[in-house]
Amino acid sequence: MGLYNASGARITKAGFPATAVADPEKKVTADVYATRAHDVGTRPSDTRDGIPEGSIKTLLFKAGTVVRQSQIDKLFPPATIAGVSPSTGPAAGGTVVTITGTNLDGVADVKFGSTAGTNLKVLSAGRLQVTTPAGAAGAVSVVVGDDAGAVTKNSGFTYA
């Protein structure tokens, strides 16, 4: 008995037709739950405790489950920036800006150009607020950072 390819040639262990997979397996070490909004016609927006009011919690992965890294990556989609309001403010900083988009609930920092904003408040998955730092007059990029990386809105804010 042995292993053979379609043309009948014997396959050795060293010559086994396979390549390394860049999608390693991970073993889940604690139960992981997912939440979704309870569908009552309106989307809950109260996230003071990190869980939307009225949400339904379900077990996603039980401790000991083996999953591929790509499955984990899909659970953390990148943020998007749809809008920045107001989009202008004084060079001295201090403007409270609302950023709208998607997947903003995982945002950990917001930069205006290369300078971090302050008082970041995630209001929902689609909205957050942050206070602008001081900056030089002109347009700067707004960059939100989360587990999936950084997302940039070029010329998203203009210092007057």
Side-chain angles (χ1 to χ4, degrees):
M1 166 141 172
L3 299 177
Y4 299 88
N5 65 20
S7 66
R10 189 167 196 287
I11 298 172
T12 64
K13 182 176 180 181
F16 192 85
T19 58
V21 177
D23 191 7
E25 291 181 334
K26 302 276 185 162
K27 186 172 184 177
V28 179
T29 59
D31 291 348
V32 176
Y33 294 85
T35 59
R36 63 181 169 84
H38 182 88
D39 188 12
V40 292
T42 60
R43 182 181 168 100
S45 62
D46 183 1
T47 59
R48 286 184 296 251
D49 61 0
I51 300 174
E53 184 178 306
S55 65
I56 298 170
K57 185 169 104 173
T58 56
L59 181 63
L60 185 61
F61 297 116
K62 185 152 182 62
T65 303
V66 175
V67 298
R68 295 256 178 216
Q69 181 65 50
S70 59
Q71 286 178 278
I72 296 169
D73 293 344
K74 287 178 186 175
L75 299 172
F76 297 93
T80 65
I81 301 172
V84 177
S85 179
S87 60
T88 60
T95 303
V96 176
V97 170
T98 299
I99 297 174
T100 56
T102 60
N103 306 313
L104 297 173
D105 48 343
V107 170
D109 65 82
V110 177
K111 292 181 181 172
F112 293 83
S114 61
T115 307
T118 59
N119 303 320
L120 173 63
K121 293 178 187 161
V122 175
L123 304 173
S124 69
R127 208 173 85 190
L128 61 81
Q129 285 183 332
V130 63
T131 303
T132 61
V140 295
S141 295
V142 175
V143 182
V144 297
D146 64 10
D147 290 334
V151 176
T152 303
K153 181 163 185 74
N154 293 321
S155 300
F157 188 81
T158 302
Y159 286 105

